[in-house]
Amino acid sequence: SRGAEEQGSRGAGEKFPIQNSGVRAIVLAIQRQPGTNTVQVVDAIKKLLPTFRTQIPAAVNMDILYDRSQSIRESVDDVQFTLLLTIALVVLVIFLFLRNISATVIPSLAVPLSIVATFGVMVLLDFSLDNLSLMALTLSVGFVVDDAVVMLENIVRHMEMGESRMEAALNGSREIGFTILSMTISLVAVFIPILFMEGILGRLFREFAVTISVAILVSGVISLSLTPMLCSRFLSPPHHEQESEGDEEQGREGEILNSESPPPSFKSRIKNFNRRLYNFSENVFNVILGGYDWSLRKSLKYHRTTMVISGAILVATVYLFIIVPKGFVPNADVGQITATTQASEDISFDEMVKHQQAVAVIAYRDPNVDSINSSVGAGGPNASANAGRLLIELKPRHERRLSADEVVQELRPKLSVVPGIKVFLQNPPAINVGGQQTKAQYQFTLQTPNIQELYQYAPALEEKLRSLSDLQDVNSDLQIKNPQVKVDINRDQASALGLTANQIETALSNAYGTRQVSTIYAPDSQYQVIMGVEPKYQQNANALDLLSVRAPSGQLVPLNAIATLSKDVGPLTINHKGQLASVTFSFNLKPGVSLGNVTGKIEELARQTLPPTISTGFQGSAQAFQSSIQGLGLLLLVAILVIYIVLGILYENFIHPLTILSSLPSAGFGAILTLLLFQVDLNIYAFVGIILLVGIVKKNGIMMVDFAIVARHNGKTPYDAIYEACLVRFRPIMMTTMAALMGTLPIALGLGAGADTRRPLGLAVVGGLVFSQFLTLYLTPVFYTYMESWQTKMKKRSWRKQPI
């Protein structure tokens, strides 16, 4: 970027004390080309820095003031740790349910195989390993084992029925194959609408959707092929079949002990411990299953009450969706804060430097701040000479007690005491969605062809915006009090002296402009020669009385003899947007306030204050939020419709997909309620979590309904079919739900760098799973009986209408 006056800069090498001023700095801003890796580019630049340092004069120091790749490295490392932690938790869940090492290893192999295969597809599609793709892989860990767990559990159940490993693998895979196919295809169908999202959201989540879809498809293939094969070769028999062998060994050991022989070996002790652990966990599971059996009978008996509860949850879900605070992209702690400063329009550069340095000194004293880069004057990010900018780099997250948002709130009152200058702080968003560079995060723009009308009503609207309690740092780019000197040329008098208006304008430009008249070339450098009066004559407007214009006769004519000088005020800058004069208001939100709660209030104030000739609209993140919030509800409906169509095609029935989807309201209710309890907005990440819930929760319904359909074909009543399906599928339902829950829990905890952005997604999934898990086991069976009864009545009516 352009050279700027530097105050209070501290770099990575030599430390510049905050009191030093007058340090000339050139800030090199580097932007990578599309398709390149940010971290690799930064590493390559750092390797070149020693070479540059040897080639520059000793008086010039080269330091790294801010490295954006550092937060990327920390965030990626944190997601990698979360991925490993998720794998460990999921494997632990499988072991706790099956209590068998071989049965735990077999489905766990689906995780590395699916992830490695997904890496291959990512390479082919030229995807990068970033936060979104790693988050997709982390979430997929809880999904990729689902199919393998369902396959394994069904094979284990057949072995518990007395079948051999080969017979159990063949019969169990044949029985559950269609269920796994339905689960996999319907889950991938959830992400189809995300692939067709437009705008920044589409570009943001397209890579996420493709990554997690590929992982799920690969896991489906593995569960239908590799998992049955491994079960047929390596799956150990159930523990209860080994108990007789263990009892015989224990009896033999007892006989040996009676004959005063050595104590049992270490191996036998381990076997006894494993057997006791298995028996204890099996008894606990049987107690839970017995409790579910009793409660399931009650819910099927009082089916009307269950349906009323289901309807109440649906109404409550719609109500919560309306009242929940809605946001766009959550703030992320990337270790940097930006501060924009603004002084009065008539401030000089030297005075602006002093005010800026006073702000930098106060900010630097904060224990959370590591270094500050300060620049003032027009150029680069500063729009005018009375503006400045500070890039405040924070210490690493583990070395400071406050987050970036908390540091902003702490610094705001400290910096507001500096007289003569206003400071606007903001935590830069993780994703910059267009808009112009302003002093706050969100923008609201006024436009009209009538510039006087714009200048008349804009200050009134700004005052009303400041009165909103939800906003802070309200400001505008309207600066119309800039002191100026108006020169009215007396053309008759000038003409009498042989002067033209063009000659007078040229004289003023030579005196106070930045006209380059020549270049001096030295052996190792070149210097521009800029014409102008001495600086002491540039400080006061009265110096214009001393300016003279040379006439063609060679006579020096005083400027005040041929022109009238008057002092006035006018606009410092005239901003345009879409070829129309514009005024842009920017604002930040107070802590705990969502963007969805203020956009309507701002639009209402604009309607009450402005005439119809002034058009308004949000810009940047606020505009993207408005356009996205209108399409999110439609996106969710499209996702549900796609799943319904896919399930209808798979089952060749339009009733059973409704039964499978009957558990969605409870999942949505749990997700939104969790967001409200943790005071988190329903933002883009949380909404993606709700879409994920649609794919996760319907798996439980698929496992129940698929088993019930087979039971119905065998002649059982709807009540008996769904009752048996619930009890048989209870263990795989609990296993898959707990696996998905453990796969999302590390994200919901929000630990590590950049975790604040991912946390809403984890909270939505965890809350929806916990709440829907209890209700799905009861609502889906009751809904199935109603749908079967209605389907039977429809068939009878169609038979009666057929001609004999």
Side-chain angles (χ1 to χ4, degrees):
S1 65
R2 300 174 59 181
E5 191 71 21
E6 182 80 13
Q7 277 81 32
S9 173
R10 188 176 71 175
E14 181 182 355
K15 307 302 182 183
F16 297 111
I18 192 71
Q19 290 79 10
N20 282 1
S21 61
V23 179
R24 283 288 175 182
I26 296 179
V27 182
L28 181 62
I30 301 171
Q31 183 176 2
R32 67 179 178 88
Q33 294 293 332
T36 58
N37 187 295
T38 303
V39 176
Q40 292 177 350
V41 171
V42 172
D43 291 339
I45 294 173
K46 289 181 177 180
K47 290 180 180 179
L48 292 175
L49 289 182
T51 304
F52 292 155
R53 290 190 178 103
T54 60
Q55 297 176 357
I56 61 177
V60 179
N61 191 30
M62 181 178 290
D63 291 311
I64 299 176
L65 293 177
Y66 178 66
D67 182 6
R68 180 67 175 86
S69 69
Q70 188 61 36
S71 61
I72 298 176
R73 299 173 198 267
E74 294 176 357
S75 182
V76 170
D77 291 342
D78 177 70
V79 177
Q80 289 176 348
F81 171 76
T82 304
L83 177 61
L84 297 176
L85 178 61
T86 301
I87 294 174
L89 291 176
V90 170
V91 173
L92 179 61
V93 167
I94 299 173
F95 177 77
L96 291 178
F97 273 92
L98 298 179
R99 290 91 66 190
N100 190 319
I101 295 180
S102 62
T104 302
V105 172
I106 291 174
S108 301
L109 292 176
V111 176
L113 294 176
S114 300
I115 292 178
V116 171
T118 305
F119 284 155
V121 177
M122 291 174 64
V123 171
L124 294 177
L125 298 178
D126 198 22
F127 286 175
S128 60
L129 200 62
D130 52 25
N131 285 335
L132 284 175
S133 60
L134 282 172
M135 184 175 65
L137 293 174
T138 303
L139 290 171
S140 67
V141 171
F143 304 150
V144 297
V145 298
D146 284 359
D147 298 338
V149 164
V150 173
M151 173 65 74
L152 175 72
E153 193 279 335
N154 203 54
I155 294 175
V156 170
R157 187 170 61 86
H158 277 268
M159 292 182 65
E160 291 175 347
M161 295 166 55
E163 298 180 4
S164 63
R165 283 187 301 202
M166 181 63 70
E167 292 176 344
L170 292 174
N171 297 333
S173 59
R174 186 183 299 112
E175 181 181 78
I176 204 70
F178 183 79
T179 303
I180 293 177
L181 181 65
S182 302
M183 291 166 56
T184 302
I185 296 178
S186 60
L187 182 56
V188 173
V190 173
F191 301 99
I192 293 178
I194 298 180
L195 297 176
F196 294 96
M197 290 176 63
E198 298 179 353
I200 184 65
L201 297 181
R203 295 194 299 270
L204 183 64
F205 286 103
R206 189 170 294 121
E207 185 173 331
F208 170 85
V210 171
T211 302
I212 196 171
S213 297
V214 170
I216 293 170
L217 288 174
V218 173
S219 69
V221 174
I222 291 174
S223 62
L224 292 173
S225 56
L226 180 65
T227 302
M229 186 275 294
L230 294 176
C231 290
S232 66
R233 296 293 188 272
F234 305 105
L235 184 61
S236 301
H239 279 273
H240 67 81
E241 294 184 10
Q242 299 176 352
E243 288 183 3
S244 58
E245 299 177 3
D247 294 339
E248 293 177 1
E249 293 180 1
Q250 188 175 5
R252 288 194 295 268
E253 291 174 358
E255 294 177 358
I256 295 175
L257 288 174
N258 292 333
S259 59
E260 298 182 357
S261 297
S265 64
F266 177 76
K267 183 177 180 181
S268 63
R269 291 179 180 178
I270 293 297
K271 287 184 178 180
N272 291 334
F273 175 77
N274 290 338
R275 183 169 58 253
R276 292 172 184 173
L277 178 63
Y278 178 85
N279 293 333
F280 173 76
S281 58
E282 190 69 16
N283 292 333
V284 172
F285 179 77
N286 290 332
V287 171
I288 297 175
L289 182 60
Y292 174 63
D293 186 5
W294 176 84
S295 57
L296 178 62
R297 291 177 182 270
K298 293 295 182 181
S299 64
L300 290 173
K301 179 180 180 180
Y302 301 102
H303 50 85
R304 291 187 179 88
T305 304
T306 306
M307 291 300 293
V308 171
I309 296 175
S310 177
I313 292 175
L314 177 60
V315 174
T317 302
V318 176
Y319 174 74
L320 290 181
F321 184 80
I322 295 174
I323 67 170
V324 64
K326 299 174 180 63
F328 185 53
V329 177
N331 289 336
D333 189 346
V334 296
Q336 184 190 36
I337 294 174
T338 60
T340 306
T341 59
Q342 180 179 329
S344 59
E345 289 94 328
D346 60 344
I347 192 170
S348 65
F349 178 79
D350 293 336
E351 287 298 316
M352 185 64 192
V353 168
K354 294 179 181 178
H355 286 76
Q356 182 91 348
Q357 177 140 350
V359 173
V361 169
I362 296 176
Y364 186 75
R365 291 172 182 167
D366 191 280
N368 300 285
V369 175
D370 183 64
S371 63
I372 295 178
N373 173 260
S374 174
S375 63
V376 299
N382 303 330
S384 56
N386 67 326
R389 188 175 180 86
L390 293 94
L391 297 179
I392 304 174
E393 186 175 1
L394 304 178
K395 294 179 180 179
R397 187 65 181 91
H398 62 276
E399 296 182 10
R400 50 186 162 95
R401 58 183 179 86
L402 300 179
S403 65
D405 289 329
E406 293 171 338
V407 173
V408 168
Q409 298 301 323
E410 184 182 65
L411 286 177
R412 183 173 279 113
K414 295 180 180 179
L415 302 181
S416 63
V417 300
V418 181
I421 189 171
K422 295 180 180 179
V423 183
F424 304 95
L425 295 166
Q426 61 174 309
N427 179 18
I431 303 170
N432 190 7
V433 187
Q436 65 190 76
Q437 195 169 37
T438 55
K439 305 176 187 67
Q441 186 172 354
Y442 305 105
Q443 299 95 38
F444 184 71
T445 301
L446 313 183
Q447 290 179 279
T448 181
N450 190 340
I451 191 170
Q452 297 301 326
E453 186 179 55
L454 184 66
Y455 291 167
Q456 176 185 355
Y457 287 98
L461 180 59
E462 183 176 358
E463 286 298 322
K464 291 187 177 181
L465 292 177
R466 292 181 186 276
S467 64
L468 288 179
S469 59
D470 296 334
L471 305 183
Q472 60 185 0
D473 297 334
V474 177
N475 64 91
S476 73
D477 59 1
L478 178 63
Q479 301 185 66
I480 56 177
K481 298 180 181 179
N482 179 45
Q484 61 186 16
V485 177
K486 186 177 181 181
V487 181
D488 291 325
I489 301 174
N490 189 334
R491 295 180 181 271
D492 295 335
Q493 184 69 22
S495 179
L497 296 174
L499 293 172
T500 63
N502 185 40
Q503 289 174 317
I504 299 173
E505 291 174 0
T506 302
L508 289 170
S509 176
N510 292 338
Y512 299 103
T514 56
R515 178 185 175 188
Q516 179 182 348
V517 295
S518 66
T519 303
I520 300 175
Y521 295 96
D524 58 350
S525 184
Q526 60 184 22
Y527 305 92
Q528 297 176 349
V529 179
I530 307 297
M531 180 181 292
V533 298
E534 291 186 19
K536 64 180 180 179
Y537 298 112
Q538 300 178 6
Q539 306 300 323
N540 196 328
N542 296 327
L544 283 171
D545 294 333
L546 305 177
L547 183 66
S548 298
V549 183
R550 187 174 296 278
S553 61
Q555 179 185 4
L556 289 176
V557 180
L559 179 64
N560 54 13
I562 55 177
T564 302
L565 307 180
S566 59
K567 296 181 180 180
D568 195 4
V569 293
L572 181 62
T573 57
I574 300 178
N575 300 289
H576 290 78
K577 187 172 183 61
Q579 298 183 349
L580 294 177
S582 66
V583 172
T584 298
F585 302 104
S586 58
F587 58 92
N588 289 323
L589 304 177
K590 288 189 176 180
V593 178
S594 64
L595 183 59
N597 291 338
V598 301
T599 53
K601 296 179 181 179
I602 293 175
E603 290 176 332
E604 181 63 25
L605 285 179
R607 284 192 294 267
Q608 296 175 1
T609 308
L610 304 177
T613 53
I614 298 180
S615 60
T616 63
F618 288 96
Q619 303 296 327
S621 298
Q623 181 187 29
F625 165 77
Q626 277 198 321
S627 60
S628 64
I629 201 66
Q630 298 173 356
L632 290 181
L634 179 62
L635 179 66
L636 180 60
L637 294 177
V638 171
I640 296 175
L641 179 62
V642 170
I643 293 178
Y644 175 80
I645 294 174
V646 171
L647 292 176
I649 294 173
L650 291 174
Y651 287 100
E652 298 180 353
N653 189 292
F654 66 92
I655 297 296
H656 297 314
L658 292 176
T659 305
I660 294 171
L661 297 175
S662 62
S663 58
L664 296 184
S666 60
F669 179 84
I672 300 177
L673 183 62
T674 303
L675 295 177
L676 288 173
L677 293 176
F678 284 88
Q679 299 180 351
V680 177
D681 296 342
L682 179 60
N683 51 47
I684 301 301
Y685 285 87
F687 198 85
V688 171
I690 293 178
I691 293 180
L692 284 174
L693 271 177
V694 174
I696 299 172
V697 174
K698 53 86 185 154
K699 283 187 171 185
N700 300 340
I702 289 177
M703 284 188 279
M704 292 180 186
V705 172
D706 193 66
F707 188 94
I709 291 175
V710 176
R712 285 282 288 156
H713 290 166
N714 294 333
K716 292 187 177 181
T717 63
Y719 178 92
D720 294 336
I722 195 64
Y723 173 75
E724 183 181 357
C726 291
L727 296 182
V728 172
R729 298 299 191 206
F730 179 74
R731 184 167 63 176
I733 287 176
M734 294 298 295
M735 290 178 65
T736 55
T737 302
M738 290 300 298
L741 186 64
M742 291 296 105
T744 318
L745 186 60
I747 299 177
L749 294 177
L751 303 176
D756 294 338
T757 305
R758 305 184 295 267
R759 187 166 178 256
L761 188 149
L763 287 175
V765 175
V766 170
L769 282 176
V770 171
F771 188 82
S772 65
Q773 180 63 25
F774 295 102
L775 295 180
T776 303
L777 295 172
Y778 302 102
L779 296 181
T780 301
V782 174
F783 200 85
Y784 174 83
T785 57
Y786 274 95
M787 289 293 100
E788 278 291 314
S789 176
W790 181 64
Q791 186 177 19
T792 302
K793 292 179 180 179
M794 294 295 294
K795 289 181 179 180
K796 289 182 179 179
R797 290 181 182 179
S798 62
W799 290 340
R800 292 174 182 174
K801 293 181 180 180
Q802 292 179 359
I804 300 176

